[in-house]
Amino acid sequence: MRIGICPGSFDPVTNGHIDIFERGSQLVDKLIVAVFENPSKKPLFSMAEREEMLRETTKHIPNIEVVSFHGLLNQYAIEHGATIIIRGLRALSDFEYEFQRALLMKKVEPRIETVFIMTSTQYSYISSTGIRELACFGGKLDDMVPDYVEKKLKEKFADKYNA
């Protein structure tokens, strides 16, 4: 069985992420969408909230499992039989960062391959950071996040949307 992992903070999950999950899930028998805690970021949503949003928004993809983890990705991957890391790319700047990470992963765990998937053009401008900023100020989120995530963002920033 070919197992892949698509790791990220997903704070929040966007339509760009969903696009990568849908396409990445076709490359493996099982795709683990792994929510991790980034110590350099202060998340808007808790790990449990992010997991719940991911489960809700990926339930149409039959071979996805949503998990959260702490620690090193290479250790988690090997412990769970994954040999492929799937990374989404929006721009050249993403590639430079992800390329360095992939080389480091290859150094520490040669059995793991990293696969890059370019986002679909319609999502190339979407980032979780941008979505959080829009939502914080009550902006329109049309076609950028799944409906369920939009609802959760509007709950977080109810004062901005009910003004």
Side-chain angles (χ1 to χ4, degrees):
M1 176 181 273
R2 184 175 300 158
I3 300 172
I5 296 181
C6 189
S9 52
F10 308 116
D11 187 37
V13 61
T14 69
N15 285 342
H17 293 128
I18 301 298
D19 174 54
I20 297 299
F21 303 154
E22 289 170 346
R23 293 164 52 216
S25 70
Q26 296 173 26
L27 303 175
V28 294
D29 300 307
K30 176 180 172 182
L31 180 61
I32 300 170
V33 175
V35 182
F36 67 87
E37 196 163 1
N38 186 335
S40 65
K41 294 182 180 179
K42 179 161 179 15
L44 175 62
F45 292 99
S46 70
M47 293 276 280
E49 289 172 316
R50 287 180 274 158
E51 276 187 77
E52 188 246 333
M53 285 188 288
L54 282 161
R55 281 193 185 94
E56 182 63 29
T57 59
T58 61
K59 63 185 177 187
H60 66 286
I61 309 170
N63 61 332
I64 280 189
E65 175 185 349
V66 176
V67 300
S68 61
F69 78 98
H70 302 276
L72 294 173
L73 178 59
N74 62 304
Q75 289 175 342
Y76 184 88
I78 294 303
E79 288 169 9
H80 292 85
T83 56
I84 299 169
I85 305 295
I86 295 178
R87 300 281 192 180
L89 300 175
R90 292 174 308 210
L92 188 57
S93 57
D94 286 349
F95 178 75
E96 289 182 55
Y97 174 75
E98 294 295 350
F99 182 68
Q100 288 179 343
R101 290 176 63 164
L103 290 174
L104 180 60
M105 177 65 74
K106 197 64 167 163
K107 174 69 177 166
V108 298
E109 188 48 70
R111 295 175 286 179
I112 297 175
E113 293 294 338
T114 300
V115 174
F116 298 111
I117 299 178
M118 296 301 301
T119 191
S120 295
T121 309
Q122 74 237 42
Y123 304 121
S124 63
Y125 64 93
I126 299 173
S127 70
S128 292
T129 302
I131 294 298
R132 286 192 310 270
E133 289 174 6
L134 271 173
C136 174
F137 292 104
K140 295 182 99 178
L141 302 171
D142 302 347
D143 300 321
M144 292 186 271
V145 295
D147 292 341
Y148 186 76
V149 174
E150 182 174 358
K151 177 180 169 250
K152 293 296 184 182
L153 283 162
K154 287 181 175 181
E155 287 173 7
K156 281 275 186 199
F157 298 108
D159 59 323
K160 304 293 183 187
Y161 288 94
N162 295 327

